[in-house]
Amino acid sequence: MALNNEVKEHRTALAHPLSPAVTRRSFLKGSLGAAVLAAGTSLTACGGSADDQSDGTVLRVGTENPHSSFDTQVTSNSWGASENICDTLVTLNTKTLELEPLLITQMPDLSDDRLTYSFELKDAIKFHDGSTLTSNDVRYSLTRLISKKAEADSFTYIQGADAVLNGDSDKLTGVQVQDDTHFTITLTQPYTNFLNMLAQFYASIYPQAACEAAGDDWGTGTNFIGSGPYRLESNDDNTEVVLKAFDDYHQGKPAIDEVDIMYIDDANTRMMSYKNGDIDLCFFSTSLLQQYQNDDSVKNDIVYYTPGATQFVNLNLNDPRFQDERIREALSLAINRQELADTVLNGAAIPCSGFIPPSETGHDDSAQTLDYNPDRARQLLQEAGMSDLSITAQVRSQDQAVMVALQNYWSQIGVNVDVQTIDAGMWRDARANGSLVMTLVLWSTLSFVGVEHMASYFYSTNASQRSSFYNSPQFDAYVDAARTATSEGEANEDTINADHQLVREDYATIPVVWPQSPYVLRPGYDGLDILVDFHYKGMTYNG
């Protein structure tokens, strides 16, 4: 009972802006740690629904179908398959929030000039096809990551990256292989967050031979393998993905033998499937939170996870209607963020004061919630000569409720927004090809480093692939300065300046809330870990 109360208090505390006295470290321990504690300790009652069959224990997970590749070097639209199939060189421990070695024996040595990292791989790590992971696979994976332009700005500090990025070379000269288990990575300039970026899922290490053999099919069907705790057993693209525990996993075979991921796009249907015992785990919409907090059959299974995430309105800055910053500012001023968080999101969110949430480095503790001033918004529209602004906003079903609330706020300043709900796959393609005029995005970080969270979407080379097209030399300069700073204080100052430039000077995007992500987990399961998505390797079942 005490643990259930702790979880409820955790949710309530996060329904309001945090005190400046709350440090990043204590906030993260309260958010990530509470999720892990709740999942790993309080949810151990009898009555679990795992299938104890001859083939072992099965966990059934419900999720929306992203209609995207498993290949995180070409898409960030992941629901957690890749993170369970592939490993990275280093990982973020969600309990201590420190970087730890994963595929390597220890954290790398760094040269005195802060440019060269020396790594040693663990011996005899196996990929799912039985081949052995070597330093050449690391060099191949990092080269491919840059050539695919996935979060490429984070890796352009590696020597030779620009030539790979521009297609002038297929050799990443900054990665030097000494032997099968020893290699170095040399940067062109110091980059404070480099190891944090190596922990991200898009820096997963792929087997070169299998990846090259699959070609363009890599990441589709069952053409995707790694060295992670689970191997991809089956995938029909439309209804279900099956993951099997990897017998030769270098940290030991996971206790959960099979994970069945079932595609259930509708949030209500997912929760009914959970109530009916058809699935054991799923995230659910905050719009359903009040309903299930009052549902005796579900309420004690709810866990409140606070990701490093920002929900924001993305504006296509190539659209003529958004090229006057007064119009963008007016749209921001029209939103009553506290009211929206308290009502539509049932208190499971903090109204934004900028882009970077309190859980991340570089958050500005002194900033107040972004202004709500509809009178000033109307005045700005009048000054901009925009008296009949009409916009089409295309969103996924998961974002519909919040966008409809925004639609209402904007109608009160004379702006007409037509909200259209589209398939997640169509939304992903439209965002990639730059055709979304306005949409709502929930963008998360795996590193809890604020400048990397923000830059991954709005740094000029990334924004051009996100239907944003923000291109600010000043913003990019602040990001570059934060990444190369020699002290935490300097990095935080430059990060705060970048956030201010993005949100309060250029109004290039409209942050709305920093949300929680509630989920339900069947009693009997222990050890679920979360870093944006579910990680299953530490789970056990004691039902």
Side-chain angles (χ1 to χ4, degrees):
M1 185 68 178
L3 285 172
N4 285 337
N5 286 339
E6 177 183 353
V7 173
K8 290 178 182 178
E9 289 169 2
H10 171 62
R11 182 193 65 80
T12 304
L14 291 178
H16 306 284
L18 298 183
S19 164
V22 179
T23 66
R24 171 180 178 261
R25 185 65 64 189
S26 65
F27 178 88
L28 283 170
K29 286 182 177 177
S31 58
L32 287 173
V36 173
L37 177 65
T41 308
S42 66
L43 301 174
T44 55
C46 61
S49 62
D51 297 326
D52 296 312
Q53 302 169 346
S54 59
D55 59 350
T57 303
V58 179
L59 173 72
R60 300 162 301 172
V61 183
T63 187
E64 183 178 1
N65 188 346
H67 298 285
S68 64
S69 169
F70 295 129
D71 182 0
T72 56
Q73 294 186 354
V74 299
T75 178
S76 59
N77 195 24
S78 168
W79 47 255
S82 301
E83 298 93 311
N84 288 281
I85 295 171
C86 298
D87 275 346
T88 50
L89 295 172
V90 293
T91 187
L92 182 70
N93 184 312
T94 58
K95 300 176 182 65
T96 66
L97 305 171
E98 301 293 341
L99 288 170
E100 295 179 348
L102 183 55
L103 291 175
I104 54 179
T105 58
Q106 61 184 15
M107 296 303 289
D109 293 327
L110 180 60
S111 62
D112 291 341
D113 60 6
R114 299 173 58 217
L115 294 178
T116 300
Y117 296 78
S118 299
F119 296 81
E120 180 182 17
L121 290 170
K122 295 177 182 177
D123 286 329
I125 294 176
K126 295 295 183 183
F127 286 115
H128 300 154
D129 62 357
S131 62
T132 300
L133 187 153
T134 72
S135 300
N136 287 321
D137 295 304
V138 176
R139 180 170 57 187
Y140 169 79
S141 298
L142 294 180
T143 304
R144 183 179 185 272
L145 185 160
I146 293 169
S147 69
K148 295 291 185 182
K149 303 182 180 180
E151 309 297 337
D153 73 284
S154 302
F155 294 90
T156 54
Y157 298 96
I158 300 176
Q159 285 185 3
D162 285 343
V164 173
L165 186 63
N166 297 330
D168 297 330
S169 175
D170 59 359
K171 298 184 186 302
L172 187 58
T173 57
V175 181
Q176 292 293 317
V177 171
Q178 284 75 54
D179 57 39
D180 282 351
T181 58
H182 294 85
F183 63 95
T184 58
I185 300 177
T186 301
L187 309 182
T188 57
Q189 61 187 74
Y191 179 16
T192 306
N193 304 321
F194 181 62
L195 292 179
N196 295 83
M197 304 317 294
L198 288 180
Q200 312 309 296
F201 56 47
Y202 41 76
S204 295
I205 305 305
Y206 295 155
Q208 179 174 356
C211 189
E212 288 182 336
D216 292 341
D217 291 333
W218 182 254
T220 64
T222 55
N223 293 300
F224 191 69
I225 65 174
S227 61
Y230 287 89
R231 59 180 177 81
L232 182 57
E233 174 75 6
S234 65
N235 169 32
D236 68 5
D237 293 326
N238 295 311
T239 61
E240 182 182 52
V241 173
V242 175
L243 305 179
K244 291 278 193 178
F246 182 37
D247 291 339
D248 293 327
Y249 184 54
H250 61 94
Q251 290 188 327
K253 181 183 178 182
I256 300 297
D257 298 281
E258 178 176 316
V259 181
D260 295 347
I261 294 96
M262 302 177 184
Y263 290 141
I264 307 171
D265 286 345
D266 181 72
N268 288 289
T269 304
R270 278 199 301 276
M271 286 304 293
M272 289 305 300
S273 296
Y274 180 83
K275 286 192 63 172
N276 293 337
D278 297 326
I279 59 175
D280 307 306
L281 170 65
C282 70
F283 281 115
F284 68 96
S285 171
T286 51
S287 65
L288 302 174
L289 189 55
Q290 186 173 21
Q291 173 185 345
Y292 286 104
Q293 283 174 331
N294 297 320
D295 188 325
D296 290 339
S297 68
V298 172
K299 65 182 182 182
N300 291 329
D301 299 349
I302 299 175
V303 185
Y304 302 91
Y305 167 63
T306 304
T310 304
Q311 189 167 36
F312 61 95
V313 179
N314 184 71
L315 306 174
N316 188 324
L317 301 185
N318 278 350
D319 190 289
R321 291 167 291 185
F322 296 139
Q323 290 179 0
D324 188 324
E325 69 182 39
R326 292 173 296 184
I327 294 172
R328 305 193 297 266
E329 183 180 0
L331 293 173
S332 180
L333 287 169
I335 302 170
N336 187 334
R337 292 167 173 81
Q338 186 67 63
E339 180 182 70
L340 187 150
D342 290 342
T343 56
V344 178
L345 298 176
N346 292 292
I350 303 171
C352 285
S353 59
F355 189 86
I356 298 172
S359 57
E360 298 173 25
T361 59
H363 170 75
D364 186 356
D365 292 332
S366 67
Q368 300 299 309
T369 299
L370 291 166
D371 287 344
Y372 170 57
N373 190 336
D375 289 337
R376 175 60 178 157
R378 295 185 194 96
Q379 181 182 350
L380 285 169
L381 290 175
Q382 184 177 14
E383 291 175 3
M386 188 63 69
S387 59
D388 57 348
L389 181 58
S390 294
I391 308 165
T392 297
Q394 293 182 308
V395 297
R396 295 164 293 181
S397 60
Q398 65 201 54
D399 298 317
Q400 182 181 18
V402 174
M403 184 56 87
V404 168
L406 298 177
Q407 176 191 45
N408 180 60
Y409 288 129
W410 289 326
S411 71
Q412 295 173 35
I413 63 168
V415 175
N416 176 58
V417 176
D418 176 22
V419 178
Q420 299 177 356
T421 303
I422 63 175
D423 173 79
M426 292 176 59
W427 180 90
R428 181 201 69 233
D429 293 342
R431 192 184 67 167
N433 65 33
S435 62
L436 288 178
V437 174
M438 172 188 280
T439 192
L440 198 64
V441 179
L442 179 61
W443 194 251
S444 303
T445 177
L446 302 176
S447 66
F448 291 87
V449 176
V451 69
E452 301 301 342
H453 183 193
M454 189 166 48
S456 67
Y457 205 99
F458 295 105
Y459 198 86
S460 56
T461 53
N462 292 327
S464 62
Q465 304 172 59
R466 316 267 192 228
S467 272
S468 165
F469 300 100
Y470 181 50
N471 187 354
S472 165
Q474 183 62 72
F475 175 82
D476 285 0
Y478 283 136
V479 169
D480 291 338
R483 286 171 163 172
T484 57
T486 57
S487 72
E488 183 176 354
E490 290 176 356
N492 286 340
E493 181 180 356
D494 288 319
T495 301
I496 289 170
N497 287 337
D499 195 335
H500 191 276
Q501 186 73 39
L502 173 72
V503 174
R504 295 177 181 268
E505 291 289 334
D506 295 335
Y507 297 93
T509 191
I510 305 175
V512 181
V513 293
W514 297 308
Q516 285 187 296
S517 298
Y519 65 91
V520 283
L521 176 64
R522 191 76 56 196
Y525 290 100
D526 278 354
L528 176 66
D529 204 3
I530 306 178
L531 193 59
V532 178
D533 293 310
F534 299 129
H535 294 246
Y536 311 115
K537 70 179 179 182
M539 292 187 70
T540 59
Y541 180 70
N542 302 298

